[in-house]
Amino acid sequence: MTGQPGRTGKGGGQAGAGDLLELVRSGRAVTRGALQQATGLSRATVGQRLDRLFRAGWLREGAGGPAGSPLGGRPAVTLEFDDSHAVVLVADLDTRHARAAVLTLTGEILAEHSGTAVVEDGPEAVLAALGSWFGELLPRTGRRAEEVCGIALAVPGPVDSEAGRVVQPPIMPGWDGYDIRGRLSRAFTEHTGAPAVPVLVDNDANLMAYGEQRTGHPDCTAFVLVKVSTGIGAGVVVDGSIYRGADGGAGDIGHIRVGGDALCRCGSYGCLAAVASGGAVAGRLAEAGVPAASGSDVRDLLAAGHPEAAALAREAGRRVGDVLATVVSLLNPGVLMIAGDLAGTPFLTGLRELLYQRALPRSTARLDVVTSRLGERAALIGAGALVVERLYTPARAEERLTAMGV
């Protein structure tokens, strides 16, 4: 048949193989006929584009049976993204421990490891350890290091995501401006012998929010996650994308001034994190003679029903709820998720008290205040999703196909 002039892809010009892949992955066009209709390309041109994707191992014919073609004629075989052709390595770094995993391209965890990783030991030691963990995890999955298509790391500080560097992180001494991507890429190669792969770095609350929104609240167009652990940070997902602000500083609510003379780790006085984080609650408990040094210690005390820890967590929740009343009024989210070490009943009780008292009724009328569904794996799931979304965009997919020689 004679094709219409091809409609343009996102990068300009005729729709390429990357554009067709995006149509299939999103479910907007899953047959050859539907792809012709969506792009205006001829049958032969669609076939050529698809052939590249099949040779790369990125597409396969679906197992769900034939589907009717929008162009008429006999039923057409469906197409689907082949998530078995590669895996992703991800890690979530906290102040005193880290978690690493191997994920499928659809977010299934194939192998996982957690252990001590003290952020104050500095980037050289911590990133070398993560590379070692990756090298140990891959054999457990039966996947080769050469099948890794990308790596993502979540860190507890503000990140310039384009540069892959943290920017003046209050609780990551020695990390400011460090080339995390380069060092983690080298650590991966050192411990696996595989060629370098793309490395992404983002704030942990951002990736937690991304993972939770995509898996549990995909229809929520304005989603806010607040992580309350040793520090306090927020991740915002708007229309399915992480909102980072002008230079990666969006969501840094832990350093909003709420008054008082408590010294924050950023060097200022009266920050929210200085009075209401897990670290702040641990400090108050330690002063009262209760052994606690971090948010994770507070979490353990709360799980054991410690009355003083519960009282202080509720008070912290009220301080955070007061700040979140402004956040909710500004962003009008559909879901406000509380995560981290303090995300239990005492903290949420205090938070709700002040949030609903201070926020405008219109801002909270359709607001769901919930706790994390993915728990400690939220940042890992979000990190894996970020890698896949970055590597399989139309433009990046075209670059990768060309580099593969297909």
Side-chain angles (χ1 to χ4, degrees):
M1 63 174 280
T2 301
Q4 309 167 42
R7 289 189 275 276
T8 59
K10 289 185 177 179
Q14 281 196 340
D19 295 296
L20 269 59
L21 179 68
E22 183 177 50
L23 288 168
V24 173
R25 287 186 63 231
S26 66
R28 298 199 303 273
V30 296
T31 66
R32 288 168 174 81
L35 290 169
Q36 285 177 247
Q37 189 176 58
T39 62
L41 296 174
S42 69
R43 178 183 299 176
T45 302
V46 166
Q48 291 167 359
R49 303 278 198 270
L50 292 178
D51 182 60
R52 297 180 68 198
L53 298 171
F54 280 119
R55 283 188 285 141
W58 294 1
L59 280 188
R60 63 188 173 201
E61 292 187 343
S69 169
L71 300 182
R74 63 184 181 184
V77 174
T78 58
L79 304 169
E80 62 185 29
F81 182 59
D82 188 344
D83 64 343
S84 67
H85 72 269
V87 292
V88 177
L89 296 176
V90 295
D92 178 20
L93 178 63
D94 209 332
T95 54
R96 298 172 62 192
H97 68 276
R99 187 178 295 268
V102 183
L103 269 60
T104 67
L105 297 184
T106 52
E108 178 188 356
I109 295 179
L110 300 177
E112 185 178 4
H113 174 78
S114 62
T116 300
V118 181
V119 73
E120 291 185 352
D121 288 346
E124 285 285 341
V126 171
L127 297 175
L130 291 180
S132 174
W133 292 4
F134 289 151
E136 295 168 0
L137 282 170
L138 279 166
R140 289 166 47 186
T141 68
R143 306 299 292 264
R144 296 177 295 108
E146 289 75 16
E147 294 178 76
V148 175
C149 66
I151 300 171
L153 173 65
V155 298
V159 176
D160 179 342
S161 61
E162 293 304 314
R165 299 171 189 258
V166 292
V167 182
Q168 299 177 357
I171 59 174
M172 298 179 70
W175 290 73
D176 185 22
Y178 184 84
D179 181 16
I180 296 175
R181 290 194 306 203
R183 181 65 186 97
L184 189 53
S185 178
R186 292 193 301 275
F188 165 71
T189 298
E190 289 165 6
H191 289 280
T192 65
V197 297
V199 177
L200 304 179
V201 184
D202 212 325
N203 171 261
D204 54 358
N206 282 348
L207 293 178
M208 291 173 69
Y210 197 50
E212 295 277 9
Q213 188 271 337
R214 287 174 61 89
T215 58
H217 305 273
D219 297 326
C220 181
T221 58
F223 179 95
V224 175
L225 178 143
V226 179
K227 178 186 179 184
V228 187
S229 290
T230 297
I232 300 176
V236 181
V237 179
V238 177
D239 291 333
S241 298
I242 298 172
Y243 179 74
R244 297 183 176 85
D247 60 5
D252 201 6
I253 65 170
H255 301 287
I256 292 175
R257 305 291 176 81
V258 295
D261 57 2
L263 177 63
C264 182
R265 296 184 67 171
C266 73
S268 298
Y269 290 88
C271 292
L272 180 64
V275 298
S277 66
V281 172
R284 296 271 300 277
L285 288 168
E287 290 172 1
V290 180
S294 68
S296 58
D297 293 333
V298 178
R299 178 192 61 205
D300 294 341
L301 289 167
L302 290 171
H306 193 283
E308 191 162 359
L312 289 173
R314 181 168 179 168
E315 180 184 338
R318 289 172 58 84
R319 302 299 292 266
V320 174
D322 197 9
V323 169
L324 289 181
T326 300
V327 172
V328 165
S329 296
L330 177 65
L331 296 178
N332 189 209
V335 174
L336 172 63
M337 178 174 285
I338 309 302
D341 294 327
L342 265 61
T345 300
F347 184 87
L348 260 75
T349 299
L351 184 149
R352 287 191 172 103
E353 286 176 10
L354 264 289
L355 173 63
Y356 288 104
Q357 176 184 326
R358 300 289 171 82
L360 293 172
R362 184 179 182 278
S363 300
T364 58
R366 298 174 59 188
L367 176 68
D368 287 332
V369 180
V370 300
T371 54
S372 170
R373 293 186 179 188
L374 299 177
E376 294 181 335
R377 292 173 168 172
L380 299 179
I381 301 300
L386 187 67
V387 170
V388 174
E389 291 306 312
R390 290 282 184 91
L391 292 184
Y392 294 93
T393 59
R396 188 72 180 96
E398 289 288 349
E399 293 175 5
R400 295 176 63 210
L401 289 169
T402 299
M404 292 166 65
V406 300

